[in-house]
Amino acid sequence: MQNTLPLMEAFYTLQGEGYHSGKAAYFIRLGGCDVGCVWCDVKESWNAEAHPKVTIDQIVEDALAYPARMAVITGGEPLMYDLSALTQTLKQKNFHTNIETSGVYPVTGSWDWVCFSPKKFKAPHESIYARANELKVIIYHKSDFDFAEQHAALVNEDCVLLLQPEWSRIQEMTPLIVEYVKQHPKWRVSLQTHKYMEIP
């Protein structure tokens, strides 16, 4: 188990998107990603070597300074690392553990909620499909609707299905998503409410 992790940043805010949107949460953003999304809004997270390695005890101690007990592990691609020790320590302190992942690596750690957001740039590892609580597909092109359906066919039947417009294409894609959800009501809309509300 890994006892240190490259930490790009950690901060207390509201979850802005997905199933848990609007809830207070402590975000733990790990450095390192090899998926390479062209529209990634945190490309500074890609190089793990650019971020200090911080002990898990320190990460959790910092999280305890805030009243919410929902921890969101994100990146980068957090499953590049064995997250067993991190999630174990968080759970010992009564945190609800959430992860946001592209699913390209095997799932490690003990999770209360897995947000799986597949990307066309690198295929997911098969272990993610049974574990996903939420499938969140970013809609950048019209072709992404077919991509979303391909992954929806593989997740478990209780998985929440979400379509989210890519921020730079929101004017063009939002009307298409609205119409798609009306025609395919198993899907829901996810919006990046933190960007509308200008919440960091």
Side-chain angles (χ1 to χ4, degrees), residues 20-198:
H20 290 286
S21 180
K23 295 182 181 179
Y26 188 76
F27 276 75
I28 299 166
R29 186 183 301 283
L30 302 181
C33 186
D34 58 1
V35 179
C37 303
V38 294
W39 35 258
C40 177
D41 55 5
V42 282
K43 290 182 179 177
E44 60 271 30
S45 71
W46 289 7
N47 180 10
E49 300 301 318
H51 307 292
K53 289 190 175 180
V54 180
T55 66
I56 284 167
D57 287 344
Q58 185 64 55
I59 292 171
V60 175
E61 182 180 337
D62 291 345
L64 287 166
Y66 301 94
R69 289 295 175 264
M70 185 168 80
V72 180
I73 316 305
T74 186
E77 174 41 66
L79 287 178
M80 289 180 71
Y81 311 102
D82 182 349
L83 299 176
S84 303
L86 176 60
T87 53
Q88 179 181 343
T89 307
L90 285 166
K91 282 184 165 293
Q92 287 171 353
K93 299 298 183 180
N94 298 315
F95 279 90
H96 187 277
T97 55
N98 292 25
I99 188 170
E100 298 180 347
T101 177
S102 63
V104 299
Y105 290 95
V107 179
T108 59
S110 178
W111 302 103
D112 294 301
W113 192 264
V114 175
C115 173
F116 167 41
S117 186
K119 306 299 190 293
K120 288 181 174 179
F121 313 102
K122 192 170 182 179
H125 187 271
E126 61 184 12
S127 65
I128 192 66
Y129 293 104
R131 299 288 301 276
N133 302 104
E134 169 185 351
L135 172 67
K136 183 177 68 182
V137 180
I138 309 304
I139 303 298
Y140 185 78
H141 292 294
K142 292 180 181 179
S143 62
D144 292 331
F145 291 107
D146 287 340
F147 177 76
E149 292 291 356
Q150 291 167 19
H151 291 287
L154 298 173
V155 295
N156 65 81
E157 62 181 15
D158 296 323
C159 186
V160 177
L161 305 179
L162 297 172
L163 299 173
Q164 179 171 297
E166 198 278 322
W167 184 251
S168 70
R169 308 264 302 210
I170 200 162
Q171 298 300 326
E172 181 179 354
M173 292 300 142
T174 298
L176 299 180
I177 292 172
V178 170
E179 196 56 39
Y180 193 88
V181 171
K182 287 165 65 177
Q183 296 298 320
H184 304 86
K186 66 181 180 181
W187 291 94
R188 303 182 196 177
V189 176
S190 172
L191 294 175
Q192 292 179 293
T193 58
H194 56 296
K195 292 188 177 180
Y196 286 101
M197 298 169 71
E198 298 183 351

